Amino acid sequence: MKPITKAIRTRIAQTGEMEHSSPLFLTSSFTYDSAEDMRAAFADETEANIYSRFSNPNVQEFTDRVCALEGAEAGFATASGMAAIFGTFLSFLKTGDHLLSCSSIFGSTHSLITKYLSRWGISYTYADVNQPDTWASLIQPNTKMLFIETPTNPGLDLIDLEWVSNLARQAGILLVVDNCFATPIAQRPIDYGADLVIHSATKWMDGQGRVLGGVVVGKEQLIHDIYLFCRTTGPALSPFNAWVLSKSLETLQVRMDRHASSALTLAGTLEGHPRLSWMKYPFLPSHPQYAIATKQMTNGGGIFCFELKGGLDSGRRFLDALELLSLTANLGDSRTIASHPASTTHAKLSEAERLAVGITPGLIRISVGLEDPADLLADIRQALDRC
Ligand SMILES: *Cc1c(COP(=O)(O)O)cnc(C)c1O
């Protein structure tokens, strides 16, 4: 079976009602017929549910579906993408360990690494995505984990998954990939040797801007460690959110096909526009790493970005001139979203700090929704005329 068929057909066992769609199990705990059954559950001798902080049928269905899509042995779902990232870091890193991370990563992940990991005596180094030949020299004897995003946020730079997997394997360190931007429809890092794959399910997986969620999938032994850490520390995904997210996965492939084809159309059409100094989308031949994109991705994803001539002020005017596109902090929605990181999410950083993570003054990121691309093009064009 193809991954999407397996994902769509994976479900909670039917109840006596013979319902076709999975019911919602809003329950904090589960019961047992006997003291012996309860003892066996607590001794981990059976698969029986105990408490929804540990496991829940809706959460398990969502997790199993993500495993089918990513080709993973096991997984654990969390309340948000950041909870999955934090739970993964703290399950494997301890005082004295070192984390190597690519430099352009999601803002909150950057804050977690830079501001908080030192509290537990964990050190870090950022590796420049555009200088892969320096990475091997950044691995220290105490490096335990290599964390990457590809495509990166918001710059859409790519990391060669085959190359980076070999690097991690030779060094004997864990490779963890945040696969949020690509989704398992476009890219499956485990096929290239990644140990763990993380998602913010809040983004394309929900795809409709409704609920938060996160998930980490990968080797069974590693997931067991994450499960033990998370069932104690409590970042559990709500069964309601899991029910919403699980249903969303049934349409992930058709949605991503449309997001990606619209993104390619828009990026290709707008490339060369006189108001832009450059356009970037992984599946445009002009992308500096187009060869890597077509090697490891089946589509370019739903996000493209460009640089406005005129920098910071043009960026603000462009957002104000948009009539259809939404101005919001999210991405991966059925409605198209425009963002200008330099004046919003990354405004607190200095210009030098922004440039170090690939955020130029006029950078605009577009998360392409499911509207008709002709309407999106018309709105972006009229906004470009007015900025
Ligand atoms: C949004 C996002 C996260 C964090 O996910 P939340 O669900 O918001 O906690 C992590 N990584 C990437 C790439 C993201 O876009």
Side-chain angles (χ1 to χ4, degrees), residues 196-316:
L196 292 165
V197 170
I198 296 181
H199 282 279
S200 166
T202 315
K203 312 293 170 53
W204 301 109
M205 285 193 170
D206 173 44
Q208 288 145 93
R210 299 168 298 182
V211 298
L212 278 89
V215 63
V216 48
V217 301
K219 300 208 171 96
E220 191 157 15
Q221 193 52 49
L222 299 174
I223 295 296
H224 189 66
D225 289 341
I226 294 173
Y227 162 73
L228 292 176
F229 179 78
C230 288
R231 85 176 215 177
T232 306
T233 52
L237 177 63
S238 127
F240 177 76
N241 286 10
W243 179 80
V244 170
L245 291 168
S246 186
K247 206 69 191 156
S248 297
L249 291 180
E250 295 180 6
T251 56
L252 184 65
Q253 178 147 4
V254 288
R255 286 188 286 109
M256 290 318 299
D257 286 352
R258 171 67 183 248
H259 287 297
S261 72
S262 293
L264 180 60
T265 302
L266 292 176
T269 310
L270 291 166
E271 187 171 33
H273 189 286
R275 294 289 302 127
L276 310 184
S277 34
W278 49 259
M279 164 67 74
K280 212 157 169 195
Y281 179 67
F283 264 43
L284 279 184
S286 57
H287 191 291
Q289 296 157 305
Y290 179 66
I292 297 175
T294 50
K295 176 177 135 193
Q296 67 192 25
M297 299 172 80
T298 58
N299 67 49
I303 294 173
F304 68 90
C305 60
F306 53 79
E307 177 72 12
L308 286 171
K309 288 181 185 160
L312 206 65
D313 291 339
S314 289
R316 293 168 55 96

Side-chain angles (χ1 to χ4, degrees), residues 23-104:
L24 174 53
F25 289 88
L26 282 182
T27 178
S28 10
S29 65
F30 301 84
T31 61
Y32 309 93
D33 283 338
S34 66
E36 170 52 23
D37 285 356
M38 192 163 181
R39 183 207 61 78
F42 275 81
D44 282 333
E45 290 170 14
T46 64
E47 296 273 284
N49 290 305
I50 297 173
Y51 190 59
S52 284
R53 169 151 47 78
F54 305 2
S55 67
N56 170 282
N58 294 112
V59 175
Q60 195 59 46
E61 183 188 273
F62 166 66
T63 309
D64 289 345
R65 286 180 166 190
V66 176
C67 288
L69 291 170
E70 287 284 6
E73 291 173 7
F76 188 81
T78 54
S80 68
M82 286 319 301
I85 293 171
F86 184 63
T88 300
F89 284 177
L90 274 263
S91 292
F92 300 107
L93 299 172
K94 59 178 188 325
T95 303
D97 288 345
H98 173 257
L99 168 73
L100 182 60
S101 166
C102 72
S103 52
S104 33

